[in-house]
Amino acid sequence: MRRADRLFQIIQVLRRTRKPLTADAIAAELETSKRTIYRDIATLIGQRVPIRGEAGMGYILEKGFDLPPLMLTPDEIEAAVLGAQWVASNADPVLARAAEDLKAKIADTVPERLRPFVLEPASRARRAWNKEPDRIDMVRTRTQIHEGKKIALRYRDEHGRDSERTIWPIAIGYHEAVRLLAAWCELRKDFRSFRTDRVVDADYLDEKYPERRDVLRAKWRQSMVWEQPKEP
């Protein structure tokens, strides 16, 4: 968990209780150390968040404190809804459903005067046509990307030739009719893009790849594999 996210979660934990919470209790819920909680609470107090208490006695958030609401401009709403429309029409079923949920949440959150920007947007994303079906579990593939773990693929190229690869997945690119999985290929020892509709079989490995994910992504961007895909 990023520190900014953890600071927010500490406020959320304190907000929902009326009794002082010890650093031990907060650390257990957020799955971190008590020392980290002490340091984070000191940071929040330094940022004028009204937390009372001390080590060993527990902490409590004073009444009346709240985080500022998420306020969106009409252009930001239009952009978010347009993006959600495209995802709902072009992504895999799980992301498509999440996009529809996102639009509903935005509609419920924004003031009444801004609701037409969600329900009757001026911009529309075209629905996908002639889209090739994915032959790989997109949800598990995204999980492997986030966790930096390898995937063993059996892949069929455009000429019908099969090959077996162990890849380090980096990102999924959504194109008009196909999706590409960008990865480092151990066989080719280089970055490659694999069409998800040409995957014959995939084995999701527990083994993490040795490269730091942010470093690998930076190298991939420099390779321009997205703009100039190479034959797998």
Side-chain angles (χ1 to χ4, degrees):
M1 182 184 297
R2 296 183 309 166
R3 189 167 190 240
D5 294 334
R6 193 173 61 247
L7 293 175
F8 176 81
Q9 287 300 323
I10 289 174
I11 294 175
Q12 295 293 84
V13 170
L14 292 174
R15 174 187 286 152
R16 67 172 181 257
T17 183
R18 297 182 179 179
K19 297 181 179 179
L21 278 181
T22 64
D24 278 329
I26 300 172
E29 179 164 345
L30 300 185
E31 299 181 348
T32 188
S33 68
K34 181 169 65 174
R35 182 178 179 182
T36 295
I37 296 300
Y38 284 146
R39 185 171 61 246
D40 287 347
I41 286 179
T43 296
L44 289 170
I45 293 174
Q47 295 175 353
R48 299 185 179 180
V49 176
I51 296 174
R52 292 189 291 107
E54 60 185 29
M57 300 298 294
Y59 299 93
I60 192 167
L61 185 66
E62 292 183 358
K63 292 182 179 180
F65 175 79
D66 204 355
L67 294 173
L70 177 63
M71 296 301 296
L72 299 175
T73 67
D75 285 343
E76 290 170 342
I77 295 172
E78 194 90 21
V81 172
L82 180 61
Q85 286 176 358
W86 191 93
V87 172
S89 299
N90 293 273
D92 60 87
V94 173
L95 281 186
R97 186 169 58 251
E100 294 291 352
D101 291 344
L102 174 61
K103 289 192 292 183
K105 286 181 179 180
I106 294 174
D108 288 343
T109 302
V110 299
E112 184 69 30
R113 63 182 178 84
L114 294 177
R115 200 155 294 158
F117 287 91
V118 183
L119 303 180
E120 302 171 11
S123 304
R124 292 283 179 179
R126 186 176 71 174
R127 287 193 170 274
W129 59 277
N130 197 28
K131 184 172 61 177
E132 297 292 340
D134 297 309
R135 301 189 184 280
I136 189 172
D137 187 328
M138 300 296 279
V139 175
R140 291 195 65 183
T141 300
R142 287 197 296 273
T143 299
Q144 293 292 103
I145 292 172
H146 289 305
E147 295 181 353
K149 292 182 178 179
K150 299 181 180 182
I151 302 176
L153 289 183
R154 187 150 65 91
Y155 186 76
R156 182 165 296 154
D157 67 16
E158 59 182 345
H159 302 295
R161 298 171 301 196
D162 286 10
S163 62
E164 295 185 358
R165 315 291 183 90
T166 297
I167 64 170
W168 308 355
I170 299 169
I172 300 169
Y174 289 79
H175 291 243
E176 188 72 19
V178 300
R179 287 181 269 276
L180 298 179
L181 173 58
W184 174 266
C185 177
E186 291 187 355
L187 177 66
R188 301 301 188 195
K189 300 189 185 305
D190 200 357
F191 294 104
R192 290 291 188 270
S193 293
F194 300 87
R195 282 178 49 162
T196 60
D197 60 308
R198 291 181 180 166
V199 174
V200 178
D201 193 23
D203 186 13
Y204 297 89
L205 308 178
D206 287 331
E207 181 184 359
K208 288 195 172 186
Y209 47 74
E211 189 84 72
R212 272 179 42 196
R213 192 157 66 97
D214 57 340
V215 174
L216 186 66
R217 289 177 68 90
K219 291 179 180 178
W220 163 66
R221 292 190 188 99
Q222 293 175 356
S223 75
M224 298 181 66
V225 68
W226 223 239
E227 293 77 4
Q228 299 175 0
K230 302 174 183 178
E231 179 63 32

